[in-house]
Amino acid sequence: MTNFDALTPEALRARGSMKWNRRGPEVLPMWVAEMDYPLADPVAAAIDEVVARQGFGYAEVDDRVPRAFADFAARRLGMTVNPGWTTVVPHVLAGIEIAVEVFTPKDAGVVVTTPAYMHFLVIPGLTGREAVEVPLLETRGAASVDEQWHLDLEGIERAFANGARSLILCQPYNPVGKVFSREELAELARIVARYDGWVISDEIHAPLTLPAIRHLAYSEVDETAASHCVTITSASKSFSMPGLPCATVSLHTQAGHDRFVTNAHPDHLYGATTLGIEANVAAFTGGDEWLDGALAKIAQNVARTKAFVDAELPDVRYVPGDATYFAWLDLREAGLGDDPAAWVLDKGKLWMNPGGDFGANGKGFCRLNLATTSAILDDGLGRLKAALDAR
Ligand SMILES: Cc1ncc(COP(=O)(O)O)c(C=O)c1O
């Protein structure tokens, strides 16, 4: 069994990733979405096998990843995926960019709800389209993430009425951690269908839905949703291997798939590597035990963080999410202005993502990465408290 407390900061720095090496060793990095855990054994074995056969040529992309993902989705995500309507791409963000181009007319806007995973705000512009920001509605002071954050369905309807023709959905939602309900998504589907639009659903965090909570794929909401949905995902986030390119784009009708493969340029689709493909197949087929262990560890860290914040940090609000390993910490009452992460980095040497990077309504928040060991988490929470005590 994997020991999710095994790795030290020294061992993590030695891995050479951006997360642990961009700043000096005095800074504790709890920012970018990467886990501080040993690689899942089946994934490590698959990579060893590629290395042993020196399999570093151009990858022959076949249907093994689509089939492995379809089995995983049925087993763990309550989601039907047709491998025949699933295309392999190098990265989730690449898949989103291609989907925006294929499913949004050139002069139409792309709705991005905020706070948003920052790249969503950039991608429409890369394709020459406008990102139309529609902030989530917030019930301030709500006790659960499901009560706190809602899609602004009227705002989304207005954006479509003004010419938007697609929406990038993040289900589960980075950064707030919500799994949107069937009712909320069914209403979204009715609006999008009214304008003959598309939902580009990034579900990379779906396997990270916490124990006792169920993911709901947008394509599973109802037939209307499925008919205009592009689902994009990868095992890269949930098995922490973003350096091994391989992701999938799934359509949920024959017509949708035909439109995608006819209009997506093959040069844009190509780029998944042999390592990425084998790692995704191994994770989707043999990774359940590791993933269950990681989720149990993350759930433990969520509870630990909630208890610490409530007991020690009266000016910070933390509403645990349904999914993802992020704590979306609300420091708006902490008297540190729009960018409390900068203060905490300076005074506490703890590096979190500044909430303002996720859009204007992220100002005053910090995103803390909880996919770490107990020792690193305790160090991080201690640094957060020290920084707040230094006000
Ligand atoms: C919602 C979301 N989508 C996509 C990505 C990145 O995926 P990829 O590296 O495959 O482009 C991330 C990474 O954190 C993410 O949080």
Side-chain angles (χ1 to χ4, degrees), residues 33 90-94 96 117 120 170 172 174 202 204-205 234 236-237 242 246-247 326 367:
H91 290 281
V92 165
L93 291 178
I96 294 174
Y117 174 53
F120 293 172
C170 196
N174 174 8
D202 177 340
I204 195 171
H205 290 279
S234 170
S236 67
K237 190 65 43 198
C246 179
F326 304 125
R367 194 189 72 174

mmCIF file of all heavy atoms in Angstrom, residues 33 90-94 96 117 120 170 172 174 202 204-205 234 236-237 242 246-247 326 367, ligand 1:
data_model
loop_
_atom_site.group_PDB
_atom_site.id
_atom_site.type_symbol
_atom_site.label_atom_id
_atom_site.label_comp_id
_atom_site.label_asym_id
_atom_site.label_seq_id
_atom_site.Cartn_x
_atom_site.Cartn_y
_atom_site.Cartn_z
ATOM 1 N N ALA A 33 -1.434 22.754 -9.102
ATOM 2 C CA ALA A 33 -2.203 21.517 -8.900
ATOM 3 C C ALA A 33 -1.387 20.271 -9.216
ATOM 4 O O ALA A 33 -1.497 19.677 -10.286
ATOM 5 C CB ALA A 33 -3.470 21.562 -9.750
ATOM 6 N N PRO A 90 -3.202 15.875 -26.700
ATOM 7 C CA PRO A 90 -2.076 15.902 -25.756
ATOM 8 C C PRO A 90 -2.440 16.390 -24.353
ATOM 9 O O PRO A 90 -1.928 15.865 -23.369
ATOM 10 C CB PRO A 90 -1.057 16.839 -26.406
ATOM 11 C CG PRO A 90 -1.731 17.492 -27.548
ATOM 12 C CD PRO A 90 -2.956 16.727 -27.881
ATOM 13 N N HIS A 91 -3.256 17.421 -24.254
ATOM 14 C CA HIS A 91 -3.559 18.025 -22.952
ATOM 15 C C HIS A 91 -5.029 18.411 -22.899
ATOM 16 O O HIS A 91 -5.651 18.655 -23.934
ATOM 17 C CB HIS A 91 -2.744 19.312 -22.738
ATOM 18 C CG HIS A 91 -1.293 19.081 -22.528
ATOM 19 N ND1 HIS A 91 -0.779 18.669 -21.326
ATOM 20 C CD2 HIS A 91 -0.240 19.200 -23.368
ATOM 21 C CE1 HIS A 91 0.526 18.542 -21.431
ATOM 22 N NE2 HIS A 91 0.885 18.849 -22.658
ATOM 23 N N VAL A 92 -5.536 18.548 -21.692
ATOM 24 C CA VAL A 92 -6.913 19.015 -21.530
ATOM 25 C C VAL A 92 -7.068 20.425 -22.110
ATOM 26 O O VAL A 92 -8.028 20.713 -22.832
ATOM 27 C CB VAL A 92 -7.324 18.966 -20.042
ATOM 28 C CG1 VAL A 92 -8.595 19.766 -19.792
ATOM 29 C CG2 VAL A 92 -7.523 17.516 -19.612
ATOM 30 N N LEU A 93 -6.111 21.301 -21.811
ATOM 31 C CA LEU A 93 -6.251 22.677 -22.314
ATOM 32 C C LEU A 93 -6.213 22.714 -23.842
ATOM 33 O O LEU A 93 -6.924 23.500 -24.468
ATOM 34 C CB LEU A 93 -5.162 23.580 -21.722
ATOM 35 C CG LEU A 93 -5.312 23.858 -20.221
ATOM 36 C CD1 LEU A 93 -4.158 24.719 -19.716
ATOM 37 C CD2 LEU A 93 -6.647 24.532 -19.908
ATOM 38 N N ALA A 94 -5.402 21.845 -24.444
ATOM 39 C CA ALA A 94 -5.381 21.769 -25.911
ATOM 40 C C ALA A 94 -6.748 21.314 -26.413
ATOM 41 O O ALA A 94 -7.279 21.850 -27.400
ATOM 42 C CB ALA A 94 -4.298 20.800 -26.368
ATOM 43 N N ILE A 96 -9.620 21.741 -24.964
ATOM 44 C CA ILE A 96 -10.598 22.828 -24.802
ATOM 45 C C ILE A 96 -10.445 23.837 -25.937
ATOM 46 O O ILE A 96 -11.431 24.288 -26.528
ATOM 47 C CB ILE A 96 -10.421 23.512 -23.425
ATOM 48 C CG1 ILE A 96 -10.782 22.535 -22.303
ATOM 49 C CG2 ILE A 96 -11.284 24.770 -23.334
ATOM 50 C CD1 ILE A 96 -10.498 23.055 -20.904
ATOM 51 N N TYR A 117 -10.540 28.648 -13.337
ATOM 52 C CA TYR A 117 -9.182 28.156 -13.599
ATOM 53 C C TYR A 117 -8.601 29.107 -14.645
ATOM 54 O O TYR A 117 -9.178 29.277 -15.724
ATOM 55 C CB TYR A 117 -9.270 26.714 -14.102
ATOM 56 C CG TYR A 117 -7.955 26.121 -14.541
ATOM 57 C CD1 TYR A 117 -6.852 26.137 -13.697
ATOM 58 C CD2 TYR A 117 -7.828 25.532 -15.792
ATOM 59 C CE1 TYR A 117 -5.643 25.590 -14.099
ATOM 60 C CE2 TYR A 117 -6.632 24.975 -16.197
ATOM 61 C CZ TYR A 117 -5.540 25.010 -15.350
ATOM 62 O OH TYR A 117 -4.347 24.470 -15.752
ATOM 63 N N PHE A 120 -8.813 29.244 -18.539
ATOM 64 C CA PHE A 120 -10.107 29.349 -19.242
ATOM 65 C C PHE A 120 -10.341 30.781 -19.731
ATOM 66 O O PHE A 120 -11.026 31.003 -20.722
ATOM 67 C CB PHE A 120 -11.273 28.981 -18.318
ATOM 68 C CG PHE A 120 -11.332 27.539 -17.890
ATOM 69 C CD1 PHE A 120 -12.239 27.143 -16.921
ATOM 70 C CD2 PHE A 120 -10.507 26.578 -18.451
ATOM 71 C CE1 PHE A 120 -12.324 25.819 -16.516
ATOM 72 C CE2 PHE A 120 -10.571 25.251 -18.048
ATOM 73 C CZ PHE A 120 -11.489 24.878 -17.074
ATOM 74 N N CYS A 170 -16.569 23.746 -15.624
ATOM 75 C CA CYS A 170 -15.578 22.979 -14.869
ATOM 76 C C CYS A 170 -16.354 22.178 -13.837
ATOM 77 O O CYS A 170 -16.858 22.731 -12.860
ATOM 78 C CB CYS A 170 -14.587 23.929 -14.198
ATOM 79 S SG CYS A 170 -13.092 23.130 -13.624
ATOM 80 N N PRO A 172 -16.046 18.624 -11.599
ATOM 81 C CA PRO A 172 -16.155 19.539 -10.469
ATOM 82 C C PRO A 172 -15.333 20.816 -10.691
ATOM 83 O O PRO A 172 -14.425 20.830 -11.500
ATOM 84 C CB PRO A 172 -15.576 18.739 -9.305
ATOM 85 C CG PRO A 172 -15.522 17.325 -9.759
ATOM 86 C CD PRO A 172 -15.377 17.361 -11.238
ATOM 87 N N ASN A 174 -12.926 23.832 -10.286
ATOM 88 C CA ASN A 174 -11.689 24.448 -9.806
ATOM 89 C C ASN A 174 -11.870 25.953 -9.935
ATOM 90 O O ASN A 174 -12.127 26.420 -11.039
ATOM 91 C CB ASN A 174 -10.522 23.968 -10.685
ATOM 92 C CG ASN A 174 -9.208 24.657 -10.364
ATOM 93 O OD1 ASN A 174 -9.097 25.390 -9.395
ATOM 94 N ND2 ASN A 174 -8.209 24.422 -11.201
ATOM 95 N N ASP A 202 -14.949 20.518 -18.801
ATOM 96 C CA ASP A 202 -13.653 20.041 -18.313
ATOM 97 C C ASP A 202 -13.917 19.247 -17.034
ATOM 98 O O ASP A 202 -14.303 19.814 -16.014
ATOM 99 C CB ASP A 202 -12.756 21.260 -18.052
ATOM 100 C CG ASP A 202 -11.398 20.892 -17.456
ATOM 101 O OD1 ASP A 202 -11.262 19.786 -16.893
ATOM 102 O OD2 ASP A 202 -10.487 21.731 -17.535
ATOM 103 N N ILE A 204 -11.639 17.096 -15.546
ATOM 104 C CA ILE A 204 -10.353 16.534 -15.130
ATOM 105 C C ILE A 204 -10.330 16.236 -13.632
ATOM 106 O O ILE A 204 -9.620 15.337 -13.185
ATOM 107 C CB ILE A 204 -9.190 17.487 -15.539
ATOM 108 C CG1 ILE A 204 -7.834 16.784 -15.470
ATOM 109 C CG2 ILE A 204 -9.174 18.748 -14.705
ATOM 110 C CD1 ILE A 204 -6.679 17.590 -16.061
ATOM 111 N N HIS A 205 -11.124 16.979 -12.847
ATOM 112 C CA HIS A 205 -11.123 16.754 -11.397
ATOM 113 C C HIS A 205 -12.156 15.716 -10.947
ATOM 114 O O HIS A 205 -12.261 15.451 -9.748
ATOM 115 C CB HIS A 205 -11.366 18.080 -10.657
ATOM 116 C CG HIS A 205 -10.203 19.032 -10.752
ATOM 117 N ND1 HIS A 205 -9.097 18.933 -9.941
ATOM 118 C CD2 HIS A 205 -9.963 20.074 -11.579
ATOM 119 C CE1 HIS A 205 -8.229 19.888 -10.264
ATOM 120 N NE2 HIS A 205 -8.728 20.590 -11.255
ATOM 121 N N SER A 234 -8.512 13.778 -18.434
ATOM 122 C CA SER A 234 -7.252 13.039 -18.460
ATOM 123 C C SER A 234 -7.066 12.438 -17.082
ATOM 124 O O SER A 234 -7.633 12.943 -16.105
ATOM 125 C CB SER A 234 -6.091 13.997 -18.755
ATOM 126 O OG SER A 234 -4.853 13.346 -18.555
ATOM 127 N N SER A 236 -4.266 12.712 -15.811
ATOM 128 C CA SER A 236 -3.049 13.427 -15.399
ATOM 129 C C SER A 236 -3.203 14.152 -14.068
ATOM 130 O O SER A 236 -2.261 14.229 -13.287
ATOM 131 C CB SER A 236 -2.631 14.422 -16.481
ATOM 132 O OG SER A 236 -3.589 15.452 -16.599
ATOM 133 N N LYS A 237 -4.400 14.689 -13.795
ATOM 134 C CA LYS A 237 -4.596 15.445 -12.551
ATOM 135 C C LYS A 237 -4.802 14.501 -11.378
ATOM 136 O O LYS A 237 -4.157 14.629 -10.340
ATOM 137 C CB LYS A 237 -5.818 16.364 -12.718
ATOM 138 C CG LYS A 237 -6.031 17.380 -11.635
ATOM 139 C CD LYS A 237 -4.926 18.409 -11.557
ATOM 140 C CE LYS A 237 -4.472 18.929 -12.895
ATOM 141 N NZ LYS A 237 -3.150 19.597 -12.831
ATOM 142 N N PRO A 242 1.065 15.395 -14.695
ATOM 143 C CA PRO A 242 0.801 16.348 -15.778
ATOM 144 C C PRO A 242 1.963 16.472 -16.759
ATOM 145 O O PRO A 242 1.789 17.034 -17.840
ATOM 146 C CB PRO A 242 0.550 17.670 -15.038
ATOM 147 C CG PRO A 242 1.228 17.518 -13.723
ATOM 148 C CD PRO A 242 1.124 16.062 -13.382
ATOM 149 N N CYS A 246 -1.293 13.373 -22.364
ATOM 150 C CA CYS A 246 -2.346 12.520 -22.922
ATOM 151 C C CYS A 246 -3.670 12.923 -22.283
ATOM 152 O O CYS A 246 -3.778 12.968 -21.057
ATOM 153 C CB CYS A 246 -2.081 11.041 -22.630
ATOM 154 S SG CYS A 246 -3.361 9.942 -23.274
ATOM 155 N N ALA A 247 -4.663 13.236 -23.107
ATOM 156 C CA ALA A 247 -5.986 13.613 -22.607
ATOM 157 C C ALA A 247 -7.016 13.136 -23.631
ATOM 158 O O ALA A 247 -6.644 12.656 -24.715
ATOM 159 C CB ALA A 247 -6.068 15.127 -22.413
ATOM 160 N N PHE A 326 -8.313 21.311 -3.441
ATOM 161 C CA PHE A 326 -8.049 22.709 -3.118
ATOM 162 C C PHE A 326 -8.902 23.175 -1.946
ATOM 163 O O PHE A 326 -10.076 22.809 -1.842
ATOM 164 C CB PHE A 326 -8.378 23.616 -4.306
ATOM 165 C CG PHE A 326 -7.659 23.241 -5.564
ATOM 166 C CD1 PHE A 326 -8.361 22.995 -6.730
ATOM 167 C CD2 PHE A 326 -6.276 23.132 -5.577
ATOM 168 C CE1 PHE A 326 -7.700 22.640 -7.891
ATOM 169 C CE2 PHE A 326 -5.608 22.778 -6.733
ATOM 170 C CZ PHE A 326 -6.318 22.526 -7.903
ATOM 171 N N ARG A 367 -5.922 30.066 -2.919
ATOM 172 C CA ARG A 367 -6.152 28.640 -3.166
ATOM 173 C C ARG A 367 -4.987 27.842 -2.594
ATOM 174 O O ARG A 367 -3.843 27.996 -3.024
ATOM 175 C CB ARG A 367 -6.300 28.368 -4.665
ATOM 176 C CG ARG A 367 -6.865 26.977 -4.951
ATOM 177 C CD ARG A 367 -6.808 26.622 -6.421
ATOM 178 N NE ARG A 367 -5.447 26.346 -6.861
ATOM 179 C CZ ARG A 367 -5.122 25.909 -8.074
ATOM 180 N NH1 ARG A 367 -6.067 25.718 -8.973
ATOM 181 N NH2 ARG A 367 -3.865 25.677 -8.403
HETATM 182 C C1 LIG B 1 -9.668 22.435 -14.411
HETATM 183 C C2 LIG B 1 -8.346 22.110 -15.028
HETATM 184 N N1 LIG B 1 -8.277 21.845 -16.340
HETATM 185 C C3 LIG B 1 -7.104 21.554 -16.938
HETATM 186 C C4 LIG B 1 -5.926 21.518 -16.220
HETATM 187 C C5 LIG B 1 -4.643 21.238 -16.928
HETATM 188 O O1 LIG B 1 -4.741 20.112 -17.736
HETATM 189 P P1 LIG B 1 -3.652 19.836 -18.850
HETATM 190 O O2 LIG B 1 -2.308 19.938 -18.185
HETATM 191 O O3 LIG B 1 -3.951 18.462 -19.345
HETATM 192 O O4 LIG B 1 -3.844 20.869 -19.904
HETATM 193 C C6 LIG B 1 -5.954 21.785 -14.845
HETATM 194 C C7 LIG B 1 -4.718 21.781 -14.071
HETATM 195 O O5 LIG B 1 -4.670 22.138 -12.934
HETATM 196 C C8 LIG B 1 -7.195 22.086 -14.237
HETATM 197 O O6 LIG B 1 -7.290 22.348 -12.925
#
